[in-house]
Amino acid sequence: MGIAGRHIVLVGLMGSGKSSVGRRLAQATSRQFFDTDRIVEETHHQSVREMFETVGEQEFRKRETDALRGALSSETPAVIAAAGGVVLSDVNRGLIRGATQRDTAYVVWLDTEPHELAHRVQRGTHRPLLDADPVGTLEAMSVERHSMYAEVATHVVETNGRTLEEVCTEVAIALGISEGGV
Ligand code: S3P
């Protein structure tokens, strides 16, 4: 079975392009688009940053698991941008791998060098973990999470030096989506 009955799940570090690529892929394939950060924010009427500051990261991570589970259980195949930290949890990795094992998801890892990410990410947004030392933090995250992204990914697309359009095209090629381009 090809892409038809499967979700397209995008994973990768902050700034790797999950949301931008995901939104565009969803448009091109006429699918619903889910972004776990947005689901958490809409469900709890609070921004990610506010959650880190009030209920704390641990509670945010629980909410993130609920958001991921909900998106993966969507009946119609969707495009899902899974926030950068989703892979930290064994439970979340199990949810994603379960979906691929049931042939209900392909998981694309947008793999990007930390230095390039640091140029792309904007401060003051939904990324409080990058407030202090973006490059150092992204480098540490890249080391810590590399094997976790590798564990869940069914496809890897390198995004270094590529534009949004180019990354979308690479993802489409990797997944065998040909019609009309993205
Ligand atoms: C995080 C990634 C962010 C957001 C939060 C924590 C992480 O999402 O969930 O700031 O730990 O990597 P994006 O990957 O969508 O930026």
Side-chain angles (χ1 to χ4, degrees), residues 6-7 11 26 31 35 40 49 52 61 69 120 131 139 168 171 175 178:
R6 300 180 207 244
H7 298 307
V11 299
R31 288 170 174 230
D35 182 322
V40 171
R49 177 171 289 277
F52 271 73
R61 297 296 179 195
R69 190 182 276 113
R120 291 191 205 168
D131 284 351
E139 275 172 349
C168 288
V171 172
L175 297 179
S178 50

Side-chain angles (χ1 to χ4, degrees), residues 12 21 67 116:
V21 171
E116 182 156 334

Side-chain angles (χ1 to χ4, degrees), residues 71-179:
L72 286 171
S73 65
S74 162
E75 295 216 341
T76 40
V79 178
I80 303 168
V86 153
V87 293
L88 289 171
S89 137
D90 294 349
V91 172
N92 294 352
R93 294 201 305 281
L95 287 171
I96 297 172
R97 291 183 56 186
T100 61
Q101 281 158 9
R102 289 191 306 277
D103 292 335
T104 57
Y106 278 141
V107 184
V108 184
W109 174 15
L110 301 182
D111 189 12
T112 316
E113 289 287 325
H115 274 89
E116 182 156 334
L117 294 173
H119 285 298
R120 291 191 205 168
V121 293
Q122 293 157 13
R123 290 168 190 240
T125 64
H126 65 286
R127 292 162 177 154
L129 296 175
L130 299 184
D131 284 351
D133 171 17
V135 180
T137 305
L138 285 163
E139 275 172 349
M141 284 178 169
S142 175
V143 172
E144 184 195 10
R145 298 179 183 178
H146 190 277
S147 63
M148 301 173 185
Y149 292 129
E151 179 188 324
V152 297
T154 56
H155 300 76
V156 185
V157 169
E158 283 198 17
T159 79
N160 299 314
R162 286 186 166 144
T163 64
L164 172 62
E165 288 74 22
E166 288 167 343
V167 174
C168 288
T169 302
E170 290 298 321
V171 172
I173 291 169
L175 297 179
I177 303 169
S178 50
E179 69 278 12

